[in-house]
Amino acid sequence: MAVSLNILIVALSLIAFSPLCLSSKAYGSGGYLFPQFYDHSCPKAQEIVQSIVAKAFAQDPRMPASLLRLHFHDCFVKGCDASILLDNSGTIISEKRSNPNRNSARGFEVIEEIKHALEQECPETVSCADILALAARDSTVITGGPSWEVPLGRRDARGASLSGSNNDIPAPNNTFQTILTKFKRQGLNLVDLVSLSGSHTIGNSRCTSFRQRLYNQSGNGKPDLTLNQYYASVLRKQCPRSGGDQNLFFLDLVTPFKFDNHYFKNLIMYKGLLSSDEVLFTKNRESKELVELYAENQEAFFEQFARSMVKMGNISPLTGARGEIRRICRRVNHAAY
């Protein structure tokens, strides 16, 4: 009886802990992602990524936000396959020229520096897609945000999708419903939308991305009244009706280089910079409640952000024999010679 009771206890404990063990695995065709993927083939991989991200942050405090954004813009187009890193070539039209990325996406040289260091350490082993996922996590941590185990084992695409980049990445002036639809297309939900939007606690945006809020939000020549009007008057000084398109503004005006929950506090005060930020508080009851929760409870935000980042990083990975391990992230291997 004692033996059978022990067996029952062990079985129950395995059932209890199985979701925890499987939570970081993403199943793809021909294999699955897991955090220990490079433990034997390239044991220093994560250490190398972390050290170069830290160096880049020391040189440019904007870089963590840029690296985080690269991963996001990669995963929303054909999955997390490093297609965003590819340059134009004879067969490839680069996603770097899409509306969401042109004059905006940056940090490519940091990814190439990481890739070069990894090729020296363990040639043709660590994918550019996994570098993006690791750099996003390390960028979050180095600015004060949460950490998480990154499932690994993605492979790199041999093509890009300019149309996918133009159509699938949420835009700053999209309606709440359009943004939510774009998230749901990727297998993400409203909770993921709100928590991942919290990455705007760091980084900058250009005047051209929110100008309509200052002057002509609904086509009637009037400003967006869900934007704090004093804040709007400050923004107008550096974001005129015409010109100054590339002028940069902090997404979180309170702690622009610290990953925290001030982004959500700003939304409650109607000081979200982008329309796509403020609509989380003004256009949907469920998302408003989440904004209020995260503004009040940073730990709740951090926990959900980490979960949602793993979920986003699991969008349609290439695994097994699909794709390749690029030697240089900006071009496919047959063009690397």
Side-chain angles (χ1 to χ4, degrees):
M1 179 67 183
V3 173
S4 61
L5 184 60
N6 285 338
I7 291 171
L8 180 62
I9 290 169
V10 170
L12 287 172
S13 67
L14 286 173
I15 292 168
F17 285 105
S18 61
L20 190 65
C21 299
L22 293 174
S23 63
S24 62
K25 291 185 177 179
Y27 292 84
S29 175
Y32 58 88
L33 310 182
F34 56 100
Q36 300 79 21
F37 190 85
Y38 298 113
D39 280 8
H40 297 293
S41 60
C42 194
K44 290 185 179 177
Q46 299 204 37
E47 179 187 326
I48 288 169
V49 175
Q50 186 177 24
S51 67
I52 295 175
V53 169
K55 185 181 81 169
F57 175 51
Q59 294 170 346
D60 177 4
R62 287 179 60 203
M63 191 53 68
S66 299
L67 295 174
L68 195 52
R69 189 165 180 261
L70 279 183
H71 182 45
F72 172 55
H73 282 208
D74 179 42
C75 290
F76 265 62
V77 183
K78 305 195 308 101
C80 308
D81 61 2
S83 60
I84 191 173
L85 303 178
L86 290 169
D87 285 341
N88 278 331
S89 71
T91 57
I92 293 167
I93 302 174
S94 176
E95 294 170 18
K96 295 176 183 180
R97 302 303 300 164
S98 71
N99 291 328
N101 295 329
R102 188 173 59 249
N103 300 321
S104 172
R106 61 195 294 274
F108 298 107
E109 72 286 354
V110 176
I111 300 300
E112 290 293 358
E113 184 180 349
I114 294 169
K115 182 58 174 170
H116 179 74
L118 287 169
E119 286 298 303
Q120 299 292 309
E121 178 71 21
C122 32
E124 299 178 40
T125 302
V126 182
S127 69
C128 301
D130 279 345
I131 291 172
L132 285 171
L134 287 168
R137 188 270 312 275
D138 294 343
S139 294
T140 303
V141 172
I142 205 168
T143 48
S147 187
W148 60 91
E149 280 197 314
V150 179
L152 299 166
R154 300 167 191 80
R155 290 166 66 83
D156 299 324
R158 294 191 179 99
S161 176
L162 181 66
S163 62
S165 188
N166 276 323
N167 297 323
D168 296 340
I169 296 171
N173 57 352
N174 280 161
T175 65
F176 175 85
Q177 195 55 51
T178 297
I179 296 167
L180 182 59
T181 298
K182 288 181 178 182
F183 269 71
K184 286 184 172 178
R185 269 193 224 141
Q186 307 296 343
L188 302 173
N189 60 29
L190 184 142
V191 177
D192 300 314
L193 163 58
V194 179
S195 63
L196 291 173
S197 295
S199 62
H200 284 178
T201 179
I202 56 174
N204 299 70
S205 184
R206 297 171 298 156
C207 166
T208 186
S209 296
F210 62 88
R211 175 183 280 123
Q212 85 284 349
R213 299 192 74 199
L214 302 179
Y215 303 104
N216 190 23
Q217 174 67 2
S218 304
N220 58 4
K222 295 182 180 179
D224 184 350
L225 296 179
T226 68
L227 178 62
N228 177 284
Q229 291 306 293
Y230 173 73
Y231 183 37
S233 69
V234 173
L235 293 172
R236 285 189 195 100
K237 293 174 183 174
Q238 296 296 321
C239 185
R241 284 181 183 272
S242 61
D245 285 7
Q246 305 305 316
N247 291 352
L248 291 174
F249 298 78
F250 294 131
L251 286 161
D252 170 7
L253 74 164
V254 182
T255 54
F257 299 110
K258 183 170 170 48
F259 197 104
D260 57 22
N261 66 337
H262 265 291
Y263 166 82
F264 297 104
K265 295 178 181 181
N266 295 338
L267 298 188
I268 291 172
M269 296 187 292
Y270 301 98
K271 291 183 178 179
L273 183 63
L274 305 178
S275 175
S276 56
D277 293 323
E278 197 59 54
V279 293
L280 300 179
F281 186 66
T282 61
K283 295 297 185 183
N284 179 276
R285 184 176 58 80
E286 189 182 346
S287 68
K288 179 180 181 180
E289 289 172 358
L290 286 168
V291 168
E292 291 170 337
L293 170 65
Y294 298 153
E296 181 70 28
N297 187 335
Q298 181 168 280
E299 188 176 337
F301 164 48
F302 278 14
E303 287 179 4
Q304 184 57 53
F305 183 80
R307 279 195 292 269
S308 293
M309 283 296 288
V310 170
K311 192 173 171 184
M312 184 184 79
N314 291 347
I315 297 172
S316 305
L318 298 173
T319 57
R322 299 165 69 215
E324 64 183 14
I325 306 297
R326 285 184 218 142
R327 291 186 284 274
I328 298 172
C329 288
R330 66 182 181 274
R331 54 196 191 216
V332 295
N333 285 340
H334 68 72
Y337 297 103

